[in-house]
Amino acid sequence: ISDTQWAPSEGRADKGVPTEIIDDVNKQFIKAGVKFVVAVGDVTQNGAKAIDELDIRAKHNAALTAAGIRFFPLRGNHEGSAAAAKHFAVAFPNLPGTPGFRNGGGFSEASSPALKGLAGKSYSFTYNNATFVLLDQFTQDDGSAYGRDYSLAEQQSWISGQLAAAKAAKRQAFVFGHKNLLGQHHKDNLFGRPGDDGDPGDATPDTKPLISAFLRSLHDNGVHFYLCGHDHMYYRSVVRSPDLTQDCLVQQIITGSCSYKFYDPSPPYSTNEQPLVQERNSVG
């Protein structure tokens, strides 16, 4: 699930959270008998400033909790502030990588990077025969006036370690983030803001090796899917980095928006991906 946002200009009592859509989608999760839900960011419209929206979003997980379904959220750019980073652990306590995370019921091996403020924001866990790695790239609450961002490069050794451990244990592995590898609408991505054509292969020279390292770590450890949000449309494609060999491919799944807000594709498009399927203007 992704992008559960609503515009306050709509005059809604619940501010920037589309609670009815969330509740309806939760009913489908419960009906399907899922074991847990991953929310890939932008869980609010204004969580970066109106942190009570994080509390509203968390409150509407009650039906999942009652059904024994765990909820694993990521922050998006709409929760990207230091204040939101601090309150995120209040609204969503006991996430993997924090002391309060509970093993059991198939869940185990929780971890976060050893970087200040990232515990329970970037994190991984295993469920039965699979490992799930969730990545945060936004401003942390580090006690300063502004906080700081952690790039994927600073987290790469941890990411690679989690994926290598999964491969060694013969587990499947899946990687999640808020921003895209290559967006159909947005041109800012998991690695920052690339060149004017929106292509990570045409990013600055110092950024290109970081992109390659990330994609190579997924490919070499048998990770076939990167799942994200941010683009407010369902879109699936095969992505490669131009300085990697042709066989280094990762499928990107951009999940559909769970709000009123939908985007249209916007050129330019990258030659480093092969589109597979797209669905627009439909709740994910």
Side-chain angles (χ1 to χ4, degrees), residues 117-164:
L118 270 182
K121 297 184 182 70
S122 277
Y123 57 89
S124 70
F125 62 92
T126 67
Y127 179 73
N128 289 346
N129 69 333
T131 292
F132 301 85
V133 180
L134 285 70
L135 302 176
D136 185 298
Q137 66 183 113
F138 300 102
T139 303
Q140 305 300 320
D141 169 34
D142 68 351
S144 74
Y146 301 101
R148 60 153 297 179
D149 299 352
Y150 288 114
S151 70
L152 263 289
E154 292 170 281
Q155 303 180 58
Q156 186 59 61
S157 62
W158 173 80
I159 295 167
S160 297
Q162 297 304 302
L163 300 181

Side-chain angles (χ1 to χ4, degrees), residues 13-17 19 51-61:
D14 287 328
K15 298 184 178 180
V17 185
T19 55
I51 58 177
D52 58 316
E53 290 189 4
L54 289 169
D55 297 323
I56 294 169
R57 179 64 186 89
K59 178 182 177 181
H60 282 266
N61 289 329

Side-chain angles (χ1 to χ4, degrees), residues 24-98:
D24 284 344
V25 172
N26 284 347
K27 290 176 183 177
Q28 299 303 315
F29 285 141
I30 294 167
K31 182 179 179 181
V34 305
K35 303 303 182 184
F36 62 90
V37 171
V38 174
V40 287
D42 281 1
V43 296
T44 70
Q45 176 74 13
N46 298 286
K49 296 180 180 179
I51 58 177
D52 58 316
E53 290 189 4
L54 289 169
D55 297 323
I56 294 169
R57 179 64 186 89
K59 178 182 177 181
H60 282 266
N61 289 329
L64 298 180
T65 301
I69 298 171
R70 292 203 193 186
F71 184 77
F72 297 108
L74 273 174
R75 293 191 303 153
N77 51 286
H78 283 256
E79 301 85 35
S81 69
K86 185 175 183 178
H87 195 73
F88 192 75
V90 177
F92 305 106
N94 305 322
L95 289 174
T98 66

Side-chain angles (χ1 to χ4, degrees), residues 96-120:
T98 66
F101 178 75
R102 293 178 292 106
N103 289 328
F107 295 93
S108 64
E109 299 190 38
S111 175
S112 279
L115 295 167
K116 187 176 181 180
L118 270 182

